[in-house]
Amino acid sequence: MTRRYDPERRQRLIDAALRVVGRAGIAGLSHRAVAAEADVPLGSTTYHFASLDELLVAALRQTNEGFARAVRESAAFARPGCDVAAELARITGEWLARDRAGVELEYELYLAALHKPVLRPIAAEWTDGVTETLVRHTDPVTARALVALLDGICLQVLLTDGTYDEEYARQVLARLIPAPVD
């Protein structure tokens, strides 16, 4: 029997893993569950991902990209002197409003790094990527503080079923940004 060429299978497995985690949590993730969700033979999952940790790394890396890309590709951040607090507050609001379930999934994977050290470097990639963009507009310490504050605001909104308040976010983010020196 010849093997069917399927260049998208690895990506389909990652997408299936995200759906499984979104539905059943990380505890529900197994090679068998992912294979069933992707409608592929069980051996395909272990061929592409020798362990569930490898699959979780790929899934977290994929989910991390949404917010980081929005910050990186923001036209406002491309301009010198942009209102960093207002732009971060706007992007965060759009991100939360676009796909709240996806944001919850991203945070579930992100927080899984507490118990799965293999995920910590991937979580750090997200923090470092967003910080790298912000450093063009402020110092490195402030940039990291802005990322930490955004994490806190997002977690509060997600964990309390609260409503994101863009103006509140803009105000607290602005408090961290030093005033320009004339």
Side-chain angles (χ1 to χ4, degrees):
M1 181 171 184
T2 60
R3 180 181 252 177
R4 190 170 56 137
Y5 178 66
D6 186 357
E8 302 299 318
R9 183 164 292 185
R10 185 176 195 283
Q11 183 59 53
R12 285 194 357 249
L13 291 168
I14 295 168
D15 294 341
L18 290 170
R19 289 190 301 274
V20 168
V21 171
R23 185 175 54 248
I26 290 176
L29 186 69
S30 68
H31 282 289
R32 188 172 306 285
V34 171
E37 181 70 27
D39 195 25
V40 300
L42 178 59
S44 289
T45 62
T46 56
Y47 173 80
H48 289 283
F49 302 99
S51 69
L52 288 177
D53 282 349
E54 283 184 27
L55 186 53
L56 281 170
V57 164
L60 179 57
R61 187 167 274 135
Q62 181 170 307
T63 61
N64 276 354
E65 190 51 33
F67 185 80
R69 182 183 316 112
V71 172
R72 194 173 50 249
E73 293 177 357
S74 164
F77 283 131
R79 294 188 301 270
C82 82
D83 184 340
V84 173
E87 185 62 4
L88 280 175
R90 183 192 66 75
I91 291 169
T92 303
E94 287 179 0
W95 179 62
L96 286 166
R98 183 173 36 252
D99 180 17
R100 188 174 180 122
V103 174
E104 290 172 359
L105 173 62
E106 181 173 341
Y107 269 97
E108 181 167 357
L109 289 166
Y110 182 62
L111 293 172
L114 291 169
H115 300 288
K116 293 195 166 287
V118 70
L119 296 176
R120 290 177 186 164
I122 311 312
E125 284 176 11
W126 178 86
T127 302
D128 294 343
V130 175
T131 300
E132 184 179 303
T133 300
L134 298 178
V135 162
R136 295 184 214 136
H137 299 281
T138 190
D139 64 277
V141 172
T142 301
R144 286 193 77 74
L146 291 168
V147 171
L149 179 57
L150 283 174
D151 259 347
I153 290 170
C154 289
L155 278 171
Q156 283 182 353
V157 168
L158 295 172
L159 294 174
T160 64
D161 278 332
T163 302
Y164 176 74
D165 183 341
E166 185 173 325
E167 180 55 23
Y168 165 78
R170 186 200 62 73
Q171 286 179 23
V172 295
L173 289 163
R175 289 179 183 196
L176 294 178
I177 301 169
V181 179
D182 292 328

